[in-house]
Amino acid sequence: MKAISIGLLGLGTVGSGVVQIIKKHQDKLMHQVGCPVVIKKVLVKDLNKERAVEIEEEQLTTNPDDILLDKEIDVVIEVMGGIDATKDYLITALRYGKHVVTANKDLMALHGTELLTVASEYGCDLFYEASVAGGIPILRSLVDGLASDRITQLMGIVNGTTNYILTKMSNEGRSYDEVLKEAQELGFAEADPTADVEGLDAARKMTILATLGFSMHIDLEDVKVSGISNVTEEDIRYGKQLGYTMKLIGHAHREGEKVEVSVAPTFLPNNHPLASVQNEYNAVYVYGEAVGETMFYGPGAGSLPTATAVVSDLVNVIKNLRLGVNGKSAVTPQYPKRLKDDSEKYSKYFLRIHVEDEVGVFAEITSIFAKNGVSFEKILQLPVKKNEVSEIVLVTHRTSISNYEQSLQELNDLSAVREIKSAYKVVR
Ligand code: NAP
Ligand code: HSE
């Protein structure tokens, strides 16, 4: 078989890892796919930038057509990021019969269905394993490994940057800003880290996971999202006192025919399997009706872990080429989308409230919750004398979002309540 020619879009953190792995593992690739793999051209923004890997000057280009329209290029690997222009590039590549591998969750969460349709129209593969949880082969596990089961729950730490920040804040008492900067320097964070810290990156990944896991087309706007930018060291400290660890958790749950998908900073009991996932590591807990509990763990970001997933997709493209079955593996969703409404979504909640230090305030608060059918599992009351406010920390029993939000609204209207300082989900 002739050498497989690659066009690489992007030579940053992930692109450099792809070049390294293809060079270093050439013998293994040759053994797996039976032909050499050659990177012909690499698209970058800045030709003069210093690169983390050795690359010939003539391999670099700033003109995407040098890759997209080159008849000799068999596979386009997209590791440049971006949405609209990148989507156009990939559609052009597919129309020119090129198979595509991408690490781009922003693009796949928004336009995955359209791109997969174009790919199958043109008999091309479009693989995107690296788009969720970096080096963990979770997409292939859902689509192939658990193909025979009915998955009812996916719960995961799917953003390395926020897990890195929360781990360092919790274990080393370091500040949010300092650790975010470190995550950027280490290459985990997105170019604009707002998507990481506000939960959007995790929401995009949960969209992809839920769509594959539940065989139901889930849109990004179906995911209820909140991020970690308002999490304080005090919240983490109070959580610790109550035996909890704070994580940014993506949760997709199917009950009957209906589903819910959310991303939120969440307190987990310290003995929960996801509580021990540290730093940039990711983990996805998957519950299937037949298999029961499974858990997938590994590095969720970074150059070589992510590149491993990219190059494994490339190996699958080449294997399909040998078998002549490219463009045949994508399966369209089986079920129509049915989302739960707020009265059908249940959780426990942690609340930290500042109230006037007066007699009877606590009774007023508990009566609001009682009226809405919300009861408490844990309560901490800590006087803060200098501001003449008391701090109350509550953990509720499981309750519906509607009852919980109604209670919050009534609490806010209570004159004795100065401020609801923080509110988080709590997982059993
Ligand atoms: P990055 O370090 O910022 O690299 C982006 C590369 O693409 C750079 O080489 C840049 O060129 C090039 N590029 C960007 N826009 C371009 C444009 N308009 N025209 C030409 N070249 C352009 O990004 P990254 O961290 O490698 O991430 C790449 C993709 O992988 C993203 O979709 C990201 O979400 C995804 N991903 C990243 C990780 C991770 O751990 N970093 C993990 C999983 C998935 P210059 O070098 O010349 O600036
Ligand atoms: N910024 C992402 C993260 C990169 O921190 O998880 C991997 O998708």
Side-chain angles (χ1 to χ4, degrees):
M1 196 166 154
K2 76 169 182 66
I4 294 294
S5 183
I6 309 295
L8 188 61
L9 307 181
L11 189 59
T13 304
V14 183
S16 304
V18 169
V19 172
Q20 272 190 65
I21 290 184
I22 289 179
K23 274 191 185 159
K24 194 169 166 209
H25 294 178
Q26 196 57 234
D27 284 351
K28 183 173 164 81
L29 288 173
M30 182 78 190
H31 178 74
Q32 295 245 348
V33 299
C35 63
V37 174
V38 179
I39 296 175
K40 187 172 181 201
K41 272 276 178 246
V42 183
L43 180 74
V44 291
K45 253 196 295 205
D46 178 358
L47 290 173
N48 300 315
K49 205 182 208 176
E50 205 175 311
R51 300 292 161 186
V53 283
E54 263 181 50
I55 199 98
E56 303 295 330
E57 218 175 286
E58 57 274 18
Q59 279 176 287
L60 296 180
T61 179
T62 53
N63 181 0
D65 289 347
D66 288 348
I67 291 176
L68 305 175
L69 308 184
D70 181 341
K71 290 198 172 69
E72 286 178 3
I73 288 181
D74 306 291
V75 184
V76 168
I77 295 182
E78 186 275 301
V79 283
M80 61 181 253
I83 298 179
D84 294 330
T86 313
K87 177 185 159 203
D88 293 342
Y89 290 177
L90 297 194
I91 287 181
T92 305
L94 293 166
R95 287 192 175 139
Y96 276 79
K98 300 181 193 318
H99 308 289
V100 169
V101 173
T102 177
N104 191 332
K105 58 265 168 171
D106 310 19
L107 181 60
M108 289 310 291
L110 285 175
H111 302 296
T113 306
E114 184 185 345
L115 286 165
L116 287 162
T117 306
V118 176
S120 76
E121 262 171 40
Y122 285 85
C124 293
D125 283 334
L126 166 56
F127 293 147
Y128 49 103
E129 182 63 69
S131 66
V132 181
I136 309 175
I138 182 66
L139 303 190
R140 204 152 273 124
S141 301
L142 292 177
V143 172
D144 294 334
L146 296 170
S148 61
D149 207 350
R150 182 174 189 273
I151 291 165
T152 55
Q153 213 181 150
L154 294 150
M155 189 169 150
I157 294 171
V158 289
N159 182 270
T161 303
T162 46
N163 203 45
Y164 190 82
I165 295 172
L166 291 173
T167 304
K168 298 290 179 193
M169 280 175 77
S170 180
N171 295 357
E172 297 170 22
R174 290 169 62 195
S175 78
Y176 173 90
D177 292 328
E178 179 192 337
V179 188
L180 170 59
K181 195 161 167 279
E182 196 171 284
Q184 286 176 287
E185 284 161 8
L186 289 165
F188 309 144
E190 298 302 305
D192 174 2
T194 315
D196 292 299
V197 297
E198 296 305 344
L200 182 59
D201 178 79
R204 288 166 171 155
K205 291 166 177 166
M206 290 309 295
T207 304
I208 296 170
L209 285 178
T211 296
L212 292 177
F214 300 154
S215 196
M216 185 183 287
H217 180 83
I218 302 296
D219 291 296
L220 186 57
E221 53 268 30
D222 301 327
V223 186
K224 193 174 166 81
V225 190
S226 55
I228 66 157
S229 59
N230 293 324
V231 172
T232 65
E233 285 147 66
E234 281 141 293
D235 293 329
I236 291 177
R237 210 176 47 244
Y238 282 128
K240 274 188 181 171
Q241 280 184 38
L242 295 167
Y244 295 131
T245 304
M246 166 74 75
K247 296 287 179 191
L248 184 71
I249 296 291
H251 191 206
H253 196 194
R254 162 153 74 179
E255 276 172 305
E257 301 312 313
K258 288 192 174 179
V259 305
E260 66 174 293
V261 188
S262 63
V263 169
T266 302
F267 276 123
L268 306 171
N270 291 337
N271 61 0
H272 191 284
L274 290 174
S276 57
V277 177
Q278 307 270 308
N279 297 322
E280 78 276 20
Y281 276 74
N282 282 192
V284 185
Y285 164 97
V286 182
Y287 189 89
E289 283 180 350
V291 74
E293 295 183 308
T294 58
M295 178 119 151
F296 300 82
Y297 170 82
S303 180
L304 289 175
T306 311
T308 306
V310 170
V311 180
S312 298
D313 274 350
L314 171 66
V315 168
N316 279 297
V317 169
I318 304 173
K319 284 181 175 170
N320 283 349
L321 268 171
R322 293 182 63 176
L323 296 168
V325 294
N326 298 98
K328 297 197 167 33
S329 51
V331 179
T332 50
Q334 182 181 359
Y335 303 105
K337 181 165 75 182
R338 291 194 62 199
L339 300 173
K340 290 190 207 174
D341 65 43
D342 282 354
S343 65
E344 298 169 300
K345 298 176 188 168
Y346 281 80
S347 180
K348 300 198 309 186
Y349 294 94
F350 167 105
L351 281 168
R352 183 158 70 90
I353 311 167
H354 277 184
V355 298
E356 302 296 340
D357 197 12
E358 294 166 3
V359 177
V361 173
F362 194 73
E364 280 187 274
I365 290 176
T366 49
S367 76
I368 286 179
F369 282 106
K371 182 162 77 71
N372 290 303
V374 182
S375 57
F376 302 130
E377 185 181 291
K378 294 179 183 174
I379 299 169
L380 282 177
Q381 184 168 12
L382 311 127
V384 185
K385 287 196 179 112
K386 65 177 187 285
N387 299 328
E388 293 172 350
V389 293
S390 271
E391 188 152 55
I392 300 177
V393 174
L394 306 167
V395 179
T396 71
H397 281 294
R398 262 165 73 78
T399 180
S400 69
I401 291 196
S402 357
N403 287 350
Y404 162 74
E405 285 183 348
Q406 179 62 31
S407 307
L408 286 196
Q409 198 181 320
E410 291 177 28
L411 274 187
N412 266 322
D413 293 342
L414 213 61
S415 61
V417 170
R418 286 258 190 110
E419 193 182 355
I420 298 177
K421 296 294 286 183
S422 44
Y424 302 110
K425 279 186 167 185
V426 177
V427 161
R428 278 183 290 183

